[in-house]
Amino acid sequence: MGFGYSINPGIHYDVISKEGVVTSSIKIKLPKAVMMHDMAITEHYTIFFDLSLVFDPKVMVLQSRIPFVFDRTHPSRIGVIPRHARSDAEIKWFHIAPCFLFHTANAWETKSHKEIVIYGCRSDNFELDQLGGGGQAPFEFVGKDYKSGSFVRPDYQPVLYEWVLNLETGAVSERPVTQECYLEFPRIHPDLNGLPSRYSYIAITSEVNPLPVLEGVAKVELATGRISTVRWPEGHYGSEAVFVPRKGAQDEDDGYLLSFVYRPDTDLSDFVVLDAKTMSSVPVCTVSLPQRVPFGFHGIWVSEEEIRAQLGAEA
């Protein structure tokens, strides 16, 4: 499943087979053009987020800003559409409190298939201009204190949230899962996308520096909010942590977390492997790299077997 959006209000939603063939393609109409960075899936549905960060070209022309502004008068809502829908008449919208999110952690249907549970990293407010310190050179902004003029506003900070949508009644419940620390770039066990998962592994964002400054990684039990954290050494900054299952693992959290950690004092990066089950602060291993790895948000682990299988398929 994939989607695209543009300044002409609407979503282009495609379903693509494993052979790479587009099996269906529809347009879903929206009242306004919005920033829509992510989607979610369940066993039978695809989920879209029509939120309150709306396209406004005036701020680009008059203020030299990125042309998206947070508009609380534009209702935030979550759209649920059957996976193989043939028109946007099949989508059902659920209204939620005004917000913005970049990334979802996971979503799934309850056993009765009457409800959908969604987890994502939600902000009460957001402006794209604050990313990377408002356009400053890398790390010029690092270390600024919020009280003395940091670029981070508390309402911009991402909090892991849960939404439960009742497909029969249209009712919605929403709550923060944990507010122990600010969290973004969530990952789960790769085999559980769209299925019930117990844990998510999420980067810890800085309280005084803007994204993409990430100061550690958290393991969160989604149902309870129970959290375990590993913080990078002071002054070091990591990337999104990718979960890789251990071969032969029986438990969902039996595996590794992989991250690139940047050391500004040397302008070099380390490749760090953590034990996802124990969340020990002592890495399983650290590989010192001969250069800096630029901050990156997303990646996947591809095993040697998968690479060989792909090469064989292309031969």
Side-chain angles (χ1 to χ4, degrees):
M1 284 64 68
F3 77 96
Y5 66 97
S6 71
I7 60 174
N8 297 314
I11 308 166
H12 294 275
Y13 168 47
D14 299 314
V15 177
I16 305 167
S17 71
K18 63 181 180 180
E19 292 80 22
V21 177
V22 176
T23 59
S24 66
S25 182
I26 64 173
K27 183 171 182 180
I28 300 169
K29 294 183 287 293
L30 298 175
K32 285 187 177 181
V34 297
M35 172 70 176
M36 188 178 299
H37 187 76
D38 201 3
M39 58 182 276
I41 63 169
T42 69
E43 184 179 1
H44 299 103
Y45 297 97
T46 300
I47 301 165
F48 297 106
F49 299 86
D50 176 17
L51 305 177
S52 300
L53 194 63
V54 303
F55 178 70
D56 184 354
K58 295 192 299 295
V59 300
M60 180 175 64
V61 175
L62 301 177
Q63 302 174 29
S64 298
R65 293 174 52 199
I66 297 174
F68 285 92
V69 298
F70 195 86
D71 180 4
R72 290 190 177 276
T73 67
H74 178 72
S76 288
R77 57 185 188 159
I78 299 174
V80 178
I81 193 168
R83 171 87 74 257
H84 301 286
R86 293 300 174 183
S87 80
D88 68 349
E90 298 180 60
I91 196 167
K92 186 170 186 177
W93 291 103
F94 298 80
H95 287 269
I96 60 174
C99 67
F100 177 71
L101 67 80
F102 275 116
H103 301 109
T104 58
N106 200 12
W108 61 80
E109 300 159 39
T110 58
K111 289 182 179 179
S112 67
H113 298 285
K114 295 180 180 179
E115 292 183 320
I116 288 177
V117 183
I118 305 168
Y119 292 94
C121 298
R122 173 193 184 277
S123 298
D124 279 334
N125 194 349
F126 202 80
E127 299 293 344
L128 292 175
D129 295 88
Q130 75 94 27
L131 291 172
Q136 295 196 49
F139 294 98
E140 274 188 14
F141 54 85
V142 170
K144 278 201 172 187
D145 180 70
Y146 170 70
K147 293 179 182 178
S148 62
S150 166
F151 300 95
V152 181
R153 288 174 34 174
D155 56 341
Y156 286 0
Q157 293 282 15
V159 173
L160 181 62
Y161 245 69
E162 175 195 77
W163 295 269
V164 180
L165 316 181
N166 189 303
L167 298 175
E168 293 188 341
T169 68
V172 179
S173 67
E174 50 186 313
R175 68 176 182 94
V177 176
T178 178
Q179 295 177 290
E180 185 172 321
C181 53
Y182 299 125
L183 301 169
E184 235 314 355
F185 308 109
R187 300 297 293 254
I188 60 170
H189 190 299
D191 294 341
L192 297 178
N193 190 18
L195 300 172
S197 56
R198 181 176 178 182
Y199 300 107
S200 183
Y201 312 91
I202 316 177
I204 301 171
T205 67
S206 172
E207 294 188 15
V208 297
N209 294 305
L211 291 172
V213 177
L214 306 175
E215 297 182 341
V217 59
K219 172 185 178 181
V220 183
E221 188 173 41
L222 296 173
T224 66
R226 189 177 296 116
I227 186 170
S228 304
T229 63
V230 174
R231 298 275 181 167
W232 308 125
E234 186 174 357
H236 295 189
Y237 305 102
S239 62
E240 175 185 61
V242 176
F243 177 81
V244 180
R246 191 190 310 269
K247 286 189 176 181
Q250 299 298 311
D251 297 329
E252 179 185 325
D253 61 345
D254 189 3
Y256 307 98
L257 294 172
L258 315 181
S259 183
F260 292 106
V261 179
Y262 174 59
R263 295 178 277 119
D265 55 333
T266 63
D267 200 32
L268 299 174
S269 295
D270 295 328
F271 177 70
V272 178
V273 181
L274 301 175
D275 187 323
K277 180 175 270 296
T278 66
M279 289 299 287
S280 170
S281 60
V282 179
V284 175
C285 75
T286 300
V287 181
S288 297
L289 304 176
Q291 65 184 53
R292 171 180 179 257
V293 177
F295 270 27
F297 304 143
H298 305 304
I300 60 171
W301 169 258
V302 182
S303 69
E304 180 180 356
E305 293 82 0
E306 289 171 321
I307 292 174
R308 290 185 181 278
Q310 183 174 348
L311 292 174
E314 293 176 353

